[in-house]
Amino acid sequence: MLNATLWIQSSAEYRAVALQTYALARRALDAALAEPAALPPAIMLDLDETALDNTRYAARSIRKNKMFLFDDDWTRWVAESAADAVPGAAEFLVYAKSRGVTPFYITNRGTDMEAATRANLQKLGFPVDEDTLLVRRDTYDKTSRRDFVAASHRVLLLFGDDLNDFTGASGKSVTERQAIADAAAQEWGTRWFVLPNPMYGSWSVPPCLD
């Protein structure tokens, strides 16, 4: 946990990967917009460790000798609206909005965190409309929320830090998860863009650890 948090907070390599991801996404966005379509264009993003950087909360957890947990301390952190932006994210989203593309944020932060999350996004200059922040209301599975956006928009790009931000992978083993990633080889770097997160994620939860 310590090394993972330090890497994200202080390494030039993490910053370079994040900037590279959003720079490649800008080119992919331009290419996708050149294709004619009837539906209005959109992109879908996870928030935590994809657009919002919560390593200051992780550092607090380390000082308390805790893992990165979604507990009462996490609730208090979210209420501060103090997360930083992942490098390159805000600039990319402002650019996407200027091209007429609507960003939809699909997060498993709960309804009790919606107002603070919206305030955090606005503080960082992220374009967010009244109906584009889709928090968790019943299930952690994001499939229904992705389908909701896709019903009215042409989804050009997806962003996340976890396999479940792109497709259902809950309860899958290491081998199964790697097979899912391999099967989507044509999507990575063209329509799907993943940010590194060594601190936490579904990769670290049993039965993944088989």
Side-chain angles (χ1 to χ4, degrees), residues 24 36 42 84-85 116 133 136 146 165 171 199 206:
L24 290 172
D84 299 311
L133 176 58
R136 174 178 51 84
R146 288 194 294 264
D165 294 325
M199 296 187 298

Side-chain angles (χ1 to χ4, degrees), residues 27-59:
R27 297 175 196 169
L29 184 73
D30 289 340
L33 285 171
E35 301 173 4
L39 293 176
I43 55 178
M44 295 191 294
L45 302 94
D46 169 58
L47 278 185
D48 297 309
E49 283 39 83
T50 299
L52 295 179
D53 173 358
N54 297 288
T55 50
R56 286 194 287 128
Y57 165 72

Side-chain angles (χ1 to χ4, degrees), residues 1-2 5 57-67:
M1 181 66 174
L2 177 61
T5 303
Y57 165 72
R60 292 181 188 179
S61 298
I62 291 168
R63 285 194 291 269
K64 293 182 177 182
N65 199 30
K66 291 173 53 180
M67 293 296 291

Side-chain angles (χ1 to χ4, degrees), residues 2 16 20-21 27 33 35-36 51 70 74-75 79 87 91 108 127 132 138 143 147 166 175 180 189-190 202 208-209:
L2 177 61
Q20 172 181 263
T21 298
R27 297 175 196 169
L33 285 171
E35 301 173 4
F70 297 99
W74 168 252
T75 300
E91 295 83 354
N108 277 334
T132 57
D138 45 17
T143 303
D147 290 345
F166 303 93
T175 301
I180 291 171
T190 56
S202 62
C208 297
L209 301 179

